[in-house]
Amino acid sequence: MNNKLYGHLIFELSKSGRKGYSLPEATMGGYSLPSTMRRSNDAELPECDEMTVVRHYTNHSANNFGVNNGFYPLGSCTMKYNPVINEETAAMTGFAGLHPLQPAETCQGALEVYYKLQQSLSAITGLSEFTLNPFAGAHGELTGLMVIRAYHQSRGDDKRVKVIVPDTAHGTNPASAAVCGLEVVEVKSNADGSVDVEHLKTLLDDSIAAMMMTNPNTLGMFERDIPTIAQLVHDCGGLMYYDGANLNPLLGACRPGDMGFDVMHINLHKTFSTPHGGGGPGSGPVGVRKGLEHLLPRPRVICEGDTYRIETDGEAIHVGEFLGNFAVIVRAYTYILSLGKENLRMVGPLATLNANYIKESLKDLYLLPINGLCKHEFVFDGLKDKSTGVTTMDVAKRLLDYGYHAPTIYFPLLFHESLMIEPTESESLDTIEGFIQVMRQIAKEAATDPELVKTAPHSTPIGRVDDVLAAKHPVLTYRQLSSES
Ligand SMILES: *Cc1c(COP(=O)(O)O)cnc(C)c1O
């Protein structure tokens, strides 16, 4: 559908005088607002009947794509199935109706969930204690780096101002370091995609506060040298930070705490299966090794006998007033309990199997810059045949026509045509075979009818968007759209 028509049909529904509500006459108990607080003109709101409003939102919701609509292989995002039972528990009135300022004795059950999730995360990661307060992975990174800074400061060590970040790192890593007031130093990768230990050695001195690592890294490769790296960083007085966004393939196989990491975050919304996308909601618990617990932020939930208490005193760093995104916490805990220890152990191996199966089935047509066994995700550098001019962007857009969400594209920045695929453990062999077939079909189209791919998508409500124009002249309100149509 053409954008102009779309705008007209969907957005201009307002007709002067139409009403979809009836309210009792306002009486205000005889009180009237002072004129300075009253608006002089009516609010400019759309005027619609109720049926029109219902259809408007229902039709919009049908244009959404989520993991419940189809395959969503968005690398680095772990778009796994979000079991419906998670929603049922999160919606229980005792949880959903909580007030953040409710006294602890009136919400013991909720605090128990909170406390027990902290303990489960410790068991899963091998770290001593967790705070569930941060609202996202990036917020967790910031919290973790603040813990690290507080650790150095508590020892009177003020010269540690640098954080080492691999060139494959997610953009949030350097961003969090910068927000925390630390300087970012980049360490190079080897040809196999892992951290270059020889280069790392040249960066280490007593100005290093920490090294941030993701394992498996954003190329989906397991970092084999972590014991050596941890030793080197610890020897120079720095701490090891683990970006836990890629924890999924490690579940049941190994634990960051056993690898020498001191501080980490977990993206509950990724690994522990709560709906995310479009920016939220999220949760980024931060864990620390033994000896650093006192540096975690307050409030925190503690257990005394069989009573749970919210502790607010003794804070070393401050990241917020409350105990995090509770509905996400309930969903994650439900997920862990419903899988149980044995099934949780299967998550990593199955996610790894699915990713390798797709990679091996497509590497004759798509360029695989880093060969070998991957973990839960991998990166192609576009189509192998570059002569057609069909780019990664085109392949991603064409996938939409076939009913798939696009993979992550143009990240990591190491390659020109990055196409990052993460199938997760949730998908059946049939779904994966279907995706492989479509990826092969697109490669064929690129060779025989490149225009078809370059102008895709053809079957979505909005066609190919002009990214450059959108960046230069963003149309952010429907008013602008309709006045131009
Ligand atoms: C998703 C992700 C983050 C950031 O997490 P958010 O929850 O989106 O803030 C950090 N690092 C990696 C490797 C990620 O994939």
Side-chain angles (χ1 to χ4, degrees):
M1 207 187 291
N2 132 346
N3 291 357
K4 212 163 158 186
L5 184 60
Y6 185 77
H8 178 72
L9 279 183
I10 305 296
F11 290 110
E12 273 317 306
L13 301 172
S14 179
K15 284 258 165 72
S16 175
R18 290 255 163 98
K19 261 190 193 174
Y21 68 91
S22 61
L23 296 174
E25 196 147 325
T27 54
M28 303 277 293
Y31 181 80
S32 72
L33 280 176
S35 59
T36 50
M37 293 179 76
R38 268 190 261 170
R39 42 166 94 249
S40 43
N41 302 312
D42 283 346
E44 274 184 60
L45 297 172
E47 297 177 75
C48 291
D49 57 283
E50 185 168 330
M51 181 93 241
T52 302
V53 173
V54 168
R55 285 184 180 150
H56 171 74
Y57 285 110
T58 306
N59 288 330
H60 264 325
S61 73
N63 285 336
N64 248 342
F65 189 97
V67 72
N68 288 3
N69 296 88
F71 187 43
Y72 204 137
L74 193 65
S76 206
C77 292
T78 313
M79 305 302 285
K80 62 170 73 175
Y81 174 55
N82 308 125
V84 178
I85 189 173
N86 296 355
E87 300 308 310
E88 276 187 35
T89 50
M92 288 164 81
T93 36
F95 294 143
L98 282 174
H99 190 282
L101 295 174
Q102 211 166 308
E105 58 273 21
T106 66
C107 52
Q108 286 290 303
L111 297 181
E112 182 178 352
V113 167
Y114 196 96
Y115 186 79
K116 290 196 165 158
L117 180 61
Q118 289 177 333
Q119 289 192 312
S120 299
L121 297 181
S122 285
I124 288 166
T125 60
L127 286 165
S128 171
E129 192 171 312
F130 272 84
T131 170
L132 311 184
N133 297 8
F135 289 104
H139 195 199
E141 290 171 30
L142 177 62
T143 306
L145 290 171
M146 286 164 77
V147 166
I148 290 172
R149 203 179 49 183
Y151 162 77
H152 292 306
Q153 280 169 355
S154 73
R155 295 159 44 246
D157 191 347
D158 297 326
K159 40 187 193 312
R160 298 192 179 265
V161 291
K162 293 183 190 160
V163 176
I164 301 175
V165 175
D167 57 7
T168 53
H170 193 271
T172 51
N173 290 186
S176 301
V179 171
C180 194
L182 298 162
E183 202 179 305
V184 178
V185 187
E186 196 172 272
V187 59
K188 289 207 228 32
S189 298
N190 288 315
D192 70 358
S194 61
V195 167
D196 181 339
V197 177
E198 290 311 310
H199 183 227
L200 175 66
K201 284 181 185 166
T202 67
L203 304 174
L204 293 173
D205 59 31
D206 62 3
S207 67
I208 300 301
M211 165 143 186
M212 297 180 89
M213 283 187 81
T214 309
N215 187 35
N217 63 27
T218 61
L219 298 168
M221 309 308 283
F222 190 84
E223 295 274 1
R224 290 170 190 280
D225 294 323
I226 284 184
T228 314
I229 293 171
Q231 183 75 50
L232 286 167
V233 172
H234 286 149
D235 283 351
C236 92
L239 295 187
M240 289 290 288
Y241 184 91
Y242 178 75
D243 176 337
N246 290 351
L247 186 65
N248 208 46
L250 300 197
L251 289 181
C254 52
R255 308 192 303 171
D258 301 333
M259 293 177 198
F261 287 100
D262 305 290
V263 181
M264 73 173 289
H265 81 261
I266 296 176
N267 304 59
L268 285 189
H269 44 292
K270 293 178 181 173
T271 310
F272 296 103
S273 178
T274 76
H276 61 287
S283 176
V286 170
V288 294
R289 71 155 158 78
K290 214 162 188 45
L292 298 176
E293 299 95 333
H294 63 291
L295 298 173
L296 286 174
R298 306 289 184 262
R300 65 179 193 138
V301 176
I302 54 175
C303 180
E304 287 166 345
D306 22 328
T307 309
Y308 297 93
R309 221 163 49 73
I310 300 173
E311 188 182 78
T312 50
D313 301 338
E315 166 164 284
I317 64 162
H318 186 73
V319 298
E321 306 303 322
F322 298 113
L323 286 165
N325 212 339
F326 189 64
V328 176
I329 288 163
V330 175
R331 289 183 179 100
Y333 191 53
T334 306
Y335 178 72
I336 290 172
L337 287 189
S338 54
L339 257 67
K341 209 173 189 173
E342 290 312 309
N343 291 315
L344 212 55
R345 285 212 172 104
M346 291 300 293
V347 168
L350 287 175
T352 301
L353 177 64
N354 285 350
N356 280 283
Y357 188 80
I358 295 176
K359 170 171 68 70
E360 293 303 312
S361 308
L362 291 173
K363 70 177 188 185
D364 58 327
L365 295 174
Y366 291 83
L367 188 60
L368 184 65
I370 294 181
N371 235 310
L373 199 67
C374 66
K375 292 297 163 200
H376 63 311
E377 64 191 359
F378 63 92
V379 182
F380 283 134
D381 190 5
L383 280 157
K384 220 170 187 175
D385 178 4
K386 303 282 185 215
S387 71
T388 63
V390 170
T391 64
T392 277
M393 175 69 87
D394 303 329
V395 172
K397 296 288 186 195
R398 186 66 179 142
L399 272 170
L400 308 182
D401 282 334
Y402 287 102
Y404 295 95
H405 195 283
T408 294
I409 58 172
Y410 300 107
F411 175 81
L413 307 175
L414 243 39
F415 314 113
H416 290 300
E417 293 289 329
S418 288
L419 185 79
M420 184 187 206
I421 296 173
E422 178 183 9
T424 83
E425 72 282 4
S426 313
E427 302 299 337
S428 68
L429 182 59
D430 290 344
T431 302
I432 285 175
E433 295 280 18
F435 176 73
I436 291 167
Q437 242 174 38
V438 162
M439 286 290 281
R440 300 190 70 82
Q441 173 68 20
I442 294 172
K444 198 160 129 199
E445 290 170 356
T448 55
D449 187 2
E451 268 319 292
L452 177 71
V453 187
K454 285 184 193 177
T455 52
H458 305 285
S459 66
T460 50
I462 293 185
R464 179 80 66 116
V465 179
D466 184 337
D467 293 338
V468 180
L469 187 72
K472 283 192 174 159
H473 301 286
V475 178
L476 301 177
T477 79
Y478 78 95
R479 288 205 176 93
Q480 219 172 330
L481 192 70
S482 48
S483 67
E484 280 169 11
S485 63

